[in-house]
Amino acid sequence: MNDSSLVPHEALPFGFRFAAVKAGIKPSGKADFAVAVADTAASAAAMFTGNRVVAAPIIVGRKHLARSAGRVRVVAVNAGNANCATGHIGIDACQRVCSAAAETFHCEGHEVFPSSTGIIGVPLQAEKPMAALPQVAANLGATPEHFSQFARAIMTTDTRPKVAHASLNVDGKVVRIAGVCKGAGMIHPQLVPHATMLVYLFTDAVIEPADLDAFLRQSAEVSFNRISIDGDTSTNDTVLLLASGASGARVGGGNASFLAALTEICTSLAKQIVDDGEGVTHVVELQIEGAVTDRDALIVAKAIAHSPLVKTAWAGSDPNWGRLIAAAGYSGAELDPERISIWLGEQQICRNGGRVRDFDESAAHAYLKQREFVVRMDLGIGNGKCRFWTTDLTAEYVRINAEYSS
């Protein structure tokens, strides 16, 4: 596994080419239109935001996947404009970009998968990405540099690109998986099969769309659905997994090795999103155990991760464990307050619902001054558990989002 911004050439999945150009959508003038092209129609599976308000590219993308029976030739991503809450104008703009991309890359319109990220409520000027398509076609390539350009062009408030890769052997053939994502704010994905966070995963294995969908659901559930920066679920969240089949290695449903490699990549990308959160100074791994069910463990984790009081305490490295137990108490999960225990790293700070007698506040404060730390809570009433990654809440986060549209 390697999370550097450049994926080694031998690790890039066969059967895909990438490009990124400046279409003039971002006010900064940076590259803002990223495209991935499969040499032949790739098997596809996608998951989208659970928000009831969804962006135009999600509406169009769902229809395209249904019409193509899970096949994609072109992925077209614009940054700088979410194309959400733009009505029929937004749908029309998205469809025009898809039609132009289909003409450029000689495929059907429904084989183009669109995505957008950026400010909500501003109409997308379709002419800009459409005019950039000839340059995209001229710049396509299958090198680490092309993949890195794709990763950088989809960024908004991200401070760095996020990539991950892995490989495995299937019947004597090497299968490659590589992923790229963006996201730093408005991060609390609630992905459903029907996340702003955008994730694109590529493999050169031969996998049917139905099997690909099963792999993606399982991987996303323990990775992208286990992170939160601010508790806000975006209108544009999308995770797309494509399989080109170019390696010739056939992966059937239930292949444990492929699922493990895909989950490793998804978890890496999810944690990179949290680490690059807007204004973040602390990255926190919540380990909730002893719950009645895994679902209850997740409910507790989310209550803690979304509590402004907890998150601001973390920002100040304040070991105020009372805020943790209070969040668990109102979470809605089944619990017995007198059986809860809490640790900061290896230091136990709460036992049976009360502060431990030898509580060392200075040691706890020092532990929380680290950029990354672990908070473990044992509810003591069952075998349910989960891991969840979140952040603190800082004045810098407020500054970034107070000025986002100006």
Side-chain angles (χ1 to χ4, degrees):
M1 173 64 69
N2 187 314
D3 298 331
S4 66
S5 62
L6 281 179
V7 172
H9 194 283
E10 64 274 12
L12 276 179
F14 296 162
F16 299 101
R17 292 171 294 155
F18 307 91
V21 300
K22 300 176 182 179
I25 303 170
K26 286 181 180 177
S28 66
K30 295 180 179 179
D32 50 19
F33 188 40
V35 175
V37 178
D39 295 339
T40 59
S43 295
M47 298 179 74
F48 301 101
T49 181
N51 197 318
R52 296 283 294 274
V53 176
V54 297
I58 290 183
I59 296 171
V60 173
R62 281 173 172 160
K63 291 180 179 179
H64 284 188
L65 283 177
R67 186 176 176 187
S68 69
R71 302 288 173 178
V72 168
R73 275 288 316 282
V74 179
V75 180
V77 189
N78 77 266
N81 186 308
N83 196 11
C84 179
T86 49
H88 292 296
I89 294 175
I91 298 290
D92 179 67
C94 185
Q95 291 174 331
R96 289 171 61 199
V97 173
C98 289
S99 296
E103 183 176 350
T104 300
F105 299 109
H106 312 292
C107 65
E108 299 295 329
H110 56 263
E111 293 180 312
V112 179
F113 185 93
S115 290
S116 298
T117 180
I119 191 168
I120 294 172
V122 177
L124 173 67
Q125 293 179 281
E127 294 77 12
K128 291 185 176 181
M130 290 170 64
L133 282 167
Q135 185 183 358
V136 170
N139 291 358
L140 281 174
T143 70
E145 290 74 19
H146 287 92
F147 191 73
S148 179
Q149 289 168 12
F150 182 100
R152 292 181 180 278
I154 65 176
M155 294 165 50
T156 49
T157 59
D158 308 65
T159 66
R160 53 188 177 273
K162 304 168 182 69
V163 303
H165 63 84
S167 62
L168 64 151
N169 190 289
V170 177
D171 297 330
K173 298 177 181 178
V174 176
V175 167
R176 301 157 192 84
I177 313 172
V180 57
C181 70
K182 64 85 52 181
M186 195 178 268
I187 299 295
H188 172 218
Q190 300 182 65
L191 298 166
V192 294
H194 296 143
T196 302
M197 180 185 78
L198 300 179
V199 183
Y200 306 98
L201 303 158
F202 306 90
T203 180
D204 50 18
V206 181
I207 311 178
E208 292 303 311
D211 292 331
L212 207 62
D213 182 69
F215 285 129
L216 181 59
R217 291 194 199 188
Q218 294 177 77
S219 297
E221 184 58 30
V222 296
S223 57
F224 302 117
N225 277 349
R226 293 293 183 273
I227 63 172
S228 178
I229 291 174
D230 47 24
D232 274 327
T233 299
S234 171
T235 56
N236 291 56
D237 286 345
T238 299
V239 180
L240 175 69
L241 172 59
L242 298 181
S244 69
S247 70
R250 185 168 294 278
V251 173
N255 186 301
S257 295
F258 183 86
L259 177 61
L262 180 63
T263 301
E264 181 184 6
I265 286 178
C266 291
T267 302
S268 172
L269 292 174
K271 292 169 71 173
Q272 288 180 59
I273 289 173
V274 173
D275 189 60
D276 194 29
E278 293 170 349
V280 164
T281 60
H282 294 93
V283 176
V284 186
E285 179 176 313
L286 295 174
Q287 299 177 358
I288 310 300
E289 57 193 49
V292 171
T293 63
D294 290 349
R295 180 178 179 276
D296 264 15
L298 179 59
I299 289 172
V300 170
K302 287 187 175 184
I304 293 171
H306 298 158
S307 165
L309 287 177
V310 170
K311 295 169 82 68
T312 50
W314 288 338
S317 304
D318 180 3
N320 190 335
W321 63 272
R323 294 181 179 182
L324 298 171
I325 203 169
Y330 66 62
S331 68
E334 184 177 343
L335 55 80
D336 180 347
E338 294 185 358
R339 302 183 71 172
I340 296 175
S341 296
I342 304 172
W343 290 259
L344 298 180
E346 298 299 319
Q347 180 187 2
Q348 186 168 10
I349 60 175
C350 169
R351 180 184 295 116
N352 297 328
R355 190 173 79 165
V356 297
R357 290 184 179 180
D358 57 349
F359 177 57
D360 187 338
E361 186 171 356
S362 61
H365 177 71
Y367 178 71
L368 294 184
K369 292 185 73 173
Q370 301 178 104
R371 178 171 174 83
E372 299 184 21
F373 56 82
V374 175
V375 175
R376 180 162 68 96
M377 177 180 288
D378 188 343
L379 302 183
I381 56 175
N383 297 316
K385 60 184 180 180
C386 82
R387 284 196 305 167
F388 197 95
W389 294 274
T390 187
T391 67
D392 57 0
L393 180 62
T394 67
E396 179 64 9
Y397 175 88
V398 175
R399 187 197 65 78
I400 290 170
N401 286 282
E403 302 172 356
Y404 186 76
S405 66
S406 56

